[in-house]
Amino acid sequence: MVVLVTGGSGYVGSLLIRRLPFEKGFEGEVVRIFDNMAGDKYFSLFDLPEGADYEFVLGDLTKAEDLKRALVDVDLVFDLAGITSVPLSFKMSEETKKVNVEGAGNLLETALSSGVRKVIYSSSAAVYGDVSGLVDESHPCRPASPYAESKMLAEQLYLKAHRERGLGVVVLRFGTVYGYAPGMRFDTVVNRFAFLAAIGSPLTVWRGAASALRPYLYVGDAVSALVLAARREDANGNVFNVTTENAPLSDVIAAVKEAVPDCVIQYVEPPYQQQVSYGLIDSKIRSLGYEPQGSLKLGVREIVGKFRAFLHSRKGRGHRALVPETL
């Protein structure tokens, strides 16, 4: 049997493809990676573990012929592909819709015609929009960006296919992912702050933002949730929030300060006053056996450790903030 991972060179996908062949119930299955490599993350595919059976299909979600090749003999799909940047989605709203919504529809139709049994869809807590407090899966979705809207629309396509056409579907709404994976991203706050601190650059924080609550998800826990959703047949047709912890930005700063004690925090006036503060209630997926193992401290340590050469280079020379940055 073949398991397909779309977006397998991406942040979460690059870790999933390494863990999946050694997870209980997946031993011996072919892991087929489907990616258009638009992000040039070829390094995500370096040194895949031995003892696993991998295939790679270079293709695009918007091209039916590519998907037909990718879905031959596939039983299970982890759909992690798409445009994932909120700022970029404002600049490329039509392209974001084409890839994230039309692409999901193409994958869905081809999966149904190819005999796929189940799809695990990686969505985002961004679908809730500008909310406050703690939200569960029943909370109304009011997306505030083209990216978030595209994820909500793709969710709806998949869930409709489950209700009306019998496809096994699980939707996972991830919090902000952090921590080390081969296909790293540095456009989110935890990873970005860890990098800046490691290279000796100050962290610029808006006044009043440190108390703002956010849902954070360790990348290893994201993979665990994906695997759990694939295993549990009673998860079909459901939407699950997934987080490691809901934490204020001050906890992120504290984790960075612990890993890099000499890092400098600069507080500046925000360009606007609205500070969204919210977290995810994820008791629903925890009731299925999801037990997060990560923490902000762990994720920050992992990333800072990858840049340890910069820490060593300034030992004994005091702190030097070389590249001021604003986030």
Side-chain angles (χ1 to χ4, degrees):
M1 198 60 66
V2 180
V3 177
L4 182 70
V5 180
T6 73
S9 76
Y11 186 12
V12 177
S14 66
L15 187 58
L16 176 63
I17 61 176
R18 285 165 168 78
R19 275 184 42 179
L20 194 58
F22 308 101
E23 292 284 346
K24 184 177 180 181
F26 293 93
E27 305 96 331
E29 294 194 3
V30 175
V31 176
R32 183 177 296 155
I33 302 159
F34 180 80
D35 206 300
N36 66 1
M37 304 307 287
D40 285 335
K41 288 191 174 182
Y42 296 92
F43 51 83
S44 295
L45 307 178
F46 291 172
D47 301 317
L48 291 173
E50 296 182 3
D53 192 354
Y54 290 104
E55 296 177 354
F56 184 86
V57 175
L58 182 65
D60 197 291
L61 289 175
T62 63
K63 298 179 180 179
E65 61 272 20
D66 292 348
L67 288 168
K68 287 178 182 177
R69 288 189 294 115
L71 285 162
V72 172
D73 296 327
V74 169
D75 178 63
L76 171 68
V77 176
F78 292 95
D79 184 12
L80 312 180
I83 294 173
T84 59
S85 169
V86 171
L88 186 62
S89 75
F90 283 103
K91 299 176 182 178
M92 303 172 52
S93 58
E94 290 302 316
E95 182 69 10
T96 298
K97 182 177 180 180
K98 180 179 180 180
V99 173
N100 291 4
V101 183
E102 295 180 23
N106 291 339
L107 176 60
L108 173 61
E109 291 300 325
T110 311
L112 284 164
S113 64
S114 300
V116 169
R117 177 181 59 86
K118 189 171 185 176
V119 177
I120 313 301
Y121 180 61
S122 170
S123 188
S124 168
V127 298
Y128 294 116
D130 294 334
V131 295
S132 61
L134 298 177
V135 299
D136 66 12
E137 295 85 354
S138 66
H139 196 281
C141 293
R142 299 186 178 92
S145 68
Y147 163 73
E149 182 179 21
S150 73
K151 300 303 280 187
M152 181 188 71
L153 293 173
E155 284 186 12
Q156 292 171 353
L157 288 176
Y158 276 122
L159 293 170
K160 182 179 180 181
H162 171 75
R163 292 191 306 270
E164 298 181 1
R165 303 170 74 178
L167 179 66
V169 169
V170 183
V171 172
L172 301 181
R173 291 175 179 165
F174 287 165
T176 300
V177 182
Y178 67 91
Y180 175 75
M184 282 298 304
R185 288 178 60 184
F186 287 95
D187 57 347
T188 54
V189 65
V190 180
N191 295 355
R192 182 68 172 168
F193 272 14
F195 166 70
L196 292 175
I199 65 171
S201 186
L203 312 186
T204 303
V205 180
W206 295 350
R207 294 191 190 281
S211 61
L213 194 71
R214 291 289 193 279
Y216 296 107
L217 177 61
Y218 179 61
V219 64
D221 292 335
V223 169
S224 295
L226 288 162
V227 173
L228 176 66
R231 286 185 180 137
R232 296 291 298 250
E233 292 303 313
D234 54 351
N236 283 346
N238 280 287
V239 177
F240 297 94
N241 289 339
V242 188
T243 186
T244 298
E245 57 196 306
N246 297 308
L249 182 60
S250 58
D251 283 6
V252 176
I253 296 169
V256 174
K257 287 284 287 183
E258 182 174 311
V260 187
D262 66 351
C263 79
V264 174
I265 314 298
Q266 296 178 340
Y267 291 92
V268 300
E269 294 302 318
Y272 52 87
Q273 293 303 312
Q274 183 183 19
Q275 299 290 348
V276 177
S277 180
Y278 81 103
L280 297 180
I281 298 171
D282 65 352
S283 54
K284 187 175 174 183
I285 194 168
R286 292 183 189 238
S287 71
L288 295 184
Y290 168 69
E291 297 180 355
Q293 302 297 310
S295 68
L296 288 170
K297 290 182 180 180
L298 172 61
V300 168
R301 283 200 310 269
E302 286 179 347
I303 297 167
V304 168
K306 296 297 180 182
F307 297 104
R308 59 187 176 273
F310 299 105
L311 298 174
H312 295 159
S313 70
R314 65 175 187 263
K315 274 187 177 180
R317 290 188 285 160
H319 179 82
R320 295 191 303 160
L322 302 176
V323 188
E325 291 280 353
T326 299
L327 185 66

